[in-house]
Amino acid sequence: QKIEEIDLGFATNIKSLPHEISSLVNLKILNLCHVPSSIGSLQNLETLYLGCAESLQIIPEGIDRLTNLKFLYLRSSNITSL
């Protein structure tokens, strides 16, 4: 469980992640196209790339629980306000 980075940025068909991803306590960098409901449980996450999340219109629930988050990348999202 020493995985520190997962890049699924081009895996646009993945709509959800297994609940077990929350057990990856060393995960620091995550690149996704869809935000899993368990995102808030990744307490050590420092960087979250949601660059291909074009359907994203609001900041996902649970982001506020990512207390170590330093970088949130939303380049191609459709978020219009924070």
Side-chain angles (χ1 to χ4, degrees), residues 2-81:
K2 301 208 179 206
I3 296 173
E4 293 186 4
E5 180 175 352
I6 295 177
D7 185 349
L8 297 171
F10 291 104
T12 57
N13 292 334
I14 295 177
K15 304 286 186 216
S16 64
L17 296 174
H19 180 36
E20 290 81 12
I21 195 168
S22 62
S23 67
L24 299 175
V25 295
N26 294 312
L27 190 63
K28 296 187 185 321
I29 301 169
L30 184 58
N31 185 358
L32 297 171
C33 288
H34 301 281
V35 183
S37 59
S38 60
I39 193 73
S41 63
L42 299 172
Q43 296 298 309
N44 291 321
L45 197 64
E46 295 178 357
T47 303
L48 178 58
Y49 292 96
L50 297 172
C52 63
E54 295 168 355
S55 63
L56 198 61
Q57 297 179 350
I58 60 170
I59 299 289
E61 287 186 37
I63 295 286
D64 59 324
R65 293 192 308 264
L66 300 176
T67 55
N68 290 311
L69 192 67
K70 296 175 184 168
F71 184 74
L72 178 60
Y73 184 79
L74 300 165
R75 183 176 182 182
S76 295
S77 73
N78 285 311
I79 294 176
T80 56
S81 65

